[in-house]
Amino acid sequence: MRKHLKKAFYVISSLLLGSYVHASEQLSITWLENDSGPFYIEKNETTPHAGLCNEITDLLITALPHIKHTKVTIPQKRASKYLDEGHMACYACMIHREQKTHRVTYSIPTTVYPPFTVLSNSEQAEKIYKAHGNPVSLISLLTDAHFMYGQNDARKFGNTLDNIAKNIKLYDYAALSSTGSQASYALLTQLEHGYIDYTIDYPFVADYYNNKYQQDIKKLAIGDPEQHVVLGAIGCSTSAPNNYAQRVLVDINNALKNTVLPSEKYQQNQRAWLEESFPDFLNYYQRFILAPLKSPAIDGLELE
């Protein structure tokens, strides 16, 4: 009898402990960050605006006081590994996808970025325009061995551009840079000094680099394939235990809808970094971010 009671005690204890762990997991987020501007920048005297990703993270931390929040700064490639391993973690600035991947499950859209552009230095920009048109035919440029393409090795661009890169085996001959500290700065410095001829990124990344370091990185519009605005999202680890991503995103999405996305503070932060190259930001934000909070239909946009 005592043996059976002891066994029952252990079973009940295990169930209670499992429930406790399950509940505690729901109340914890490790926010993965890196040091690449203008996405991650801490406010200071010379930089009055927090980075694009710092701001939304901090607003969510304030809006979700019942959740335990931790910030960890690590290189982007290691952050991807962290998510793949199923840690209870989220990354604040990802490209939105309708369907989850093996790595992350996505929040509702959080912002709208301008289309990707080709970034180059003054000398090579003229040559690229002459050889591949203005706007640039991207596939023609990517397959031109006369121009050296460079990229951070963990960088992704959404379905359209990622599929092009895969189909033409771009990474077999591209100059791939490590995504260590200040990865974007390191890559654009290589571009400025001619170690590579071009890369692909958002135009506001060039704006930030040019303004901060008094440089002249050129932004070349892409015409083929046609580029579209890109929606941002928060991504949380799909493989984290006990349906972690789905459960924590319920709270995140509610906070986004009711507090963060409509707030003037958040919109001012986005405008500060995006409007130089994206003057119609507020119109797109209203259409693709605020309007769907009332009506879920999003038309006329190819999601990346």
Side-chain angles (χ1 to χ4, degrees):
M1 179 68 176
R2 183 176 297 175
K3 181 178 180 181
H4 291 300
L5 287 174
K6 188 175 182 180
K7 183 177 180 181
F9 171 78
Y10 283 128
V11 170
I12 294 171
S13 297
S14 297
L15 290 172
L16 289 174
L17 181 61
S19 298
Y20 174 78
V21 171
H22 183 88
S24 67
E25 287 174 348
Q26 187 179 11
L27 300 177
S28 173
I29 300 175
T30 297
W31 292 100
L32 305 177
E33 301 185 343
N34 59 56
D35 59 0
S36 284
F39 298 99
Y40 289 98
I41 302 172
E42 295 294 338
K43 289 183 182 178
N44 56 49
E45 292 182 358
T46 59
T47 310
H49 300 285
L52 289 159
C53 310
N54 296 96
E55 187 70 19
I56 193 169
T57 302
D58 290 343
L59 289 172
L60 282 170
I61 289 173
T62 300
L64 299 170
H66 61 287
I67 294 178
K68 179 182 178 182
H69 301 272
T70 305
K71 293 182 179 181
V72 176
T73 301
I74 53 177
Q76 187 175 348
K77 193 168 186 178
R78 185 167 292 277
S80 298
K81 184 174 183 292
Y82 204 82
L83 293 167
D84 288 341
E85 291 173 347
H87 295 275
M88 292 184 289
C90 299
Y91 192 79
C93 285
M94 304 196 80
I95 294 176
H96 180 268
R97 299 176 190 266
E98 289 293 339
Q99 302 297 324
K100 67 182 180 182
T101 67
H102 72 279
R103 176 171 293 161
V104 297
T105 303
Y106 299 92
S107 71
I108 61 173
T110 56
T111 193
V112 55
Y113 297 131
F116 285 108
T117 56
V118 171
L119 304 184
S120 188
N121 58 45
S122 299
E123 179 183 355
Q124 295 301 325
E126 291 300 321
K127 295 178 180 178
I128 290 172
Y129 274 145
K130 185 176 180 179
H132 302 287
N134 181 10
V136 174
S137 173
L138 187 61
I139 296 177
S140 175
L141 173 59
L142 290 173
T143 53
D144 187 341
H146 293 96
F147 296 98
M148 173 63 72
Y149 172 74
Q151 179 187 316
N152 292 327
D153 59 3
R155 191 70 167 89
K156 299 296 181 184
F157 302 102
N159 290 337
T160 301
L161 296 185
D162 288 344
N163 286 338
I164 289 173
K166 181 179 179 181
N167 290 338
I168 66 173
K169 299 182 179 180
L170 175 63
Y171 304 132
D172 288 353
Y173 54 85
L176 299 180
S177 299
S178 172
T179 54
S181 179
Q182 299 287 333
S184 294
Y185 167 78
L187 183 68
L188 293 183
T189 299
Q190 292 180 44
L191 181 60
E192 184 68 30
H193 292 287
Y195 295 112
I196 59 174
D197 296 324
Y198 71 100
T199 188
I200 298 170
D201 215 321
Y202 296 113
F204 60 83
V205 172
D207 294 337
Y208 170 75
Y209 180 85
N210 288 339
N211 292 334
K212 184 174 178 63
Y213 302 106
Q214 292 78 52
Q215 298 297 334
D216 190 28
I217 297 296
K218 300 298 185 182
K219 301 168 288 187
L220 288 62
I222 297 171
D224 179 24
E226 181 182 359
Q227 296 299 294
H228 303 272
V229 295
V230 180
L231 299 185
I234 292 163
C236 299
S237 176
T238 298
S239 56
N242 300 320
N243 294 316
Y244 169 78
Q246 290 88 339
R247 292 186 292 111
V248 79
L249 282 169
V250 169
D251 286 346
I252 288 174
N253 283 335
N254 283 335
L256 290 172
K257 292 175 184 177
N258 298 320
T259 305
V260 176
L261 300 182
S263 75
E264 183 64 24
K265 182 179 181 181
Y266 177 64
Q267 292 177 49
Q268 286 179 348
N269 171 268
Q270 301 293 290
R271 290 173 61 189
W273 294 114
L274 302 180
E275 275 192 330
E276 181 175 344
S277 287
F278 195 23
D280 290 333
F281 167 75
L282 277 182
N283 290 332
Y284 280 96
Y285 189 86
Q286 175 64 40
R287 180 183 178 191
F288 294 120
I289 304 301
L290 296 181
L293 300 182
K294 301 176 181 179
S295 173
I298 300 180
D299 61 348
L301 176 69
E302 178 184 324
L303 297 179
E304 291 288 355

